[in-house]
Amino acid sequence: MPSSRPVSLTARALGAALLLSTVPAVAATAATQGPSPVASAAAPTVTAAEVMPHLQALQRIADHNGGNRAHGTRGYAESVAYVKRALDRAGFQTQLRRFSHDGKDGYNLIADWPGGDPDHVLLSGAHLDSVPMGPGINDNGSGSAAVLTTALQVAKAGLKPERHLRFAWWGAEEAGLVGSADYVKNLSEGDRKAIDLYLNLDQAGSKNLQQYLVVKDEKNGGAAAFKAFENWFGSRGFATFDIPLDSSDTESFGKAGIPTSGFSSGVSDCLHSACDDLANVDPATQATSTNALIGVVWQYAASAATARP
């Protein structure tokens, strides 16, 4: 497990948010089923109706908190509380990792699915914060919702993966990748080496989709994951274009030598603006992006955990 110190929910705003947060009924499907080996089951497919409620919840949180979910605000605290409650109900082991930036406390949310080889970790993540100028529903509520939906599908299936599955929601990305950089900085050498692969989603529901922008990390050994996403999209008729590591939180992991991939559905006209709201997300693209992450997570969860991919 990562070596940075987990933090109890003592902050007033975060504690209140945890009490007030609500989640869709799908999150209540905790892992009550017996675990099934992931290799024996095809990856599930979700619809927009299973993903969009999370974005609607994040929009409501922004609406009630000055129109944003930025670092150090109650809007961010309530966003973290919403995601954490869904994961807790689904049977994940969750931790909040506190960091400080610009005189304000920030939080990364880490969720581990029980089982799998702890020496071979598949980590999927997205930043949860918005800019102060808007609600950040595409950037990056969309990536956060896709990662959350993927985690909840793992719980719904009761998976028993070969690799250990970990999911993360980063704080203060908009302030300069602060949350993910803090997480990586505080990993012990053993914890860092245990992460076989990091997958990142940033802006997963862009309208007017032209091509998927897939992170290609040949330097650290992430080329196979890039190919997995490229194949997933290509087999369904979607064009792809490769982008470098420094496009999002992937940079924090790439700098540490951790194999990395992930994707974006492109930059919207409302980037970092008040109009980055629910109307700025295409439900069909959001569903496609979520299913792409589910498919690749299932693929890597099932593969033999003998070495980094």
Side-chain angles (χ1 to χ4, degrees):
M1 298 294 290
S3 59
S4 84
R5 180 172 57 89
V7 179
S8 60
L9 306 183
T10 56
R12 180 178 299 176
L14 195 52
L18 284 166
L19 291 173
L20 294 172
S21 62
T22 58
V23 296
V26 66
T29 60
T32 55
Q33 310 173 44
S36 58
V38 65
S40 67
T45 299
V46 299
T47 65
E50 296 172 89
V51 190
M52 292 303 292
H54 300 307
L55 293 179
Q56 293 162 4
L58 294 177
Q59 180 72 66
R60 288 193 297 270
I61 288 170
D63 290 344
H64 296 156
N65 291 282
N68 73 82
R69 303 179 300 99
H71 165 70
T73 67
R74 185 180 177 89
Y76 183 72
E78 290 188 7
S79 299
V80 172
Y82 171 84
V83 176
K84 185 178 187 302
R85 184 177 176 186
L87 296 162
D88 288 341
R89 293 177 65 185
F92 282 84
Q93 299 169 349
T94 61
Q95 296 181 10
L96 289 175
R97 306 292 180 85
R98 184 172 59 199
F99 59 88
S100 180
H101 176 70
D102 198 23
K104 300 174 182 178
D105 282 344
Y107 296 89
N108 293 324
L109 173 60
I110 311 299
D112 286 273
W113 180 243
D117 186 344
D119 292 327
H120 293 280
V121 176
L122 174 63
L123 172 60
S124 303
H127 78 86
L128 185 55
D129 63 311
S130 75
V131 294
M133 295 80 76
I137 300 305
N138 190 40
D139 184 20
N140 186 35
S142 62
S144 294
V147 174
L148 176 57
T149 302
T150 300
L152 295 178
Q153 287 297 311
V154 167
K156 184 177 180 180
L159 291 185
K160 187 177 180 182
E162 294 291 332
R163 284 187 169 87
H164 180 74
L165 300 183
R166 181 174 300 148
F167 300 88
W169 290 261
W170 312 118
E173 187 268 359
E174 299 291 4
L177 315 181
V178 178
S180 59
D182 184 81
Y183 175 82
V184 173
K185 178 184 69 176
N186 286 291
L187 290 170
S188 69
E189 182 179 359
D191 291 331
R192 178 179 57 80
K193 290 181 177 179
I195 300 175
D196 285 346
L197 179 64
Y198 173 63
L199 303 176
N200 188 78
L201 264 67
D202 198 341
Q203 300 185 67
S206 302
K207 301 179 78 172
N208 302 316
L209 173 71
Q210 296 183 359
Q211 58 190 353
Y212 274 95
L213 310 178
V214 184
V215 175
K216 189 173 186 179
D217 172 26
E218 293 180 308
K219 177 181 177 181
N220 300 308
F226 164 80
K227 192 66 176 178
F229 281 120
E230 189 178 53
N231 289 342
W232 194 97
F233 288 122
S235 67
R236 291 158 178 82
F238 294 99
T240 60
F241 184 82
D242 59 282
I243 57 175
L245 276 169
D246 60 357
S247 57
S248 184
D249 289 299
T250 49
E251 180 178 343
S252 299
F253 291 86
K255 284 183 175 179
I258 296 170
T260 301
S261 190
F263 64 87
S264 169
S265 57
V267 177
S268 74
D269 293 337
C270 286
L271 179 68
H272 294 174
S273 302
C275 60
D276 187 10
D277 54 18
L278 273 175
N280 194 41
V281 171
D282 177 61
T285 299
Q286 181 69 49
T288 297
S289 295
T290 304
N291 284 318
L293 180 62
I294 290 172
V296 173
V297 166
W298 247 249
Q299 176 181 333
Y300 276 97
S303 60
T306 57
R308 283 183 168 182

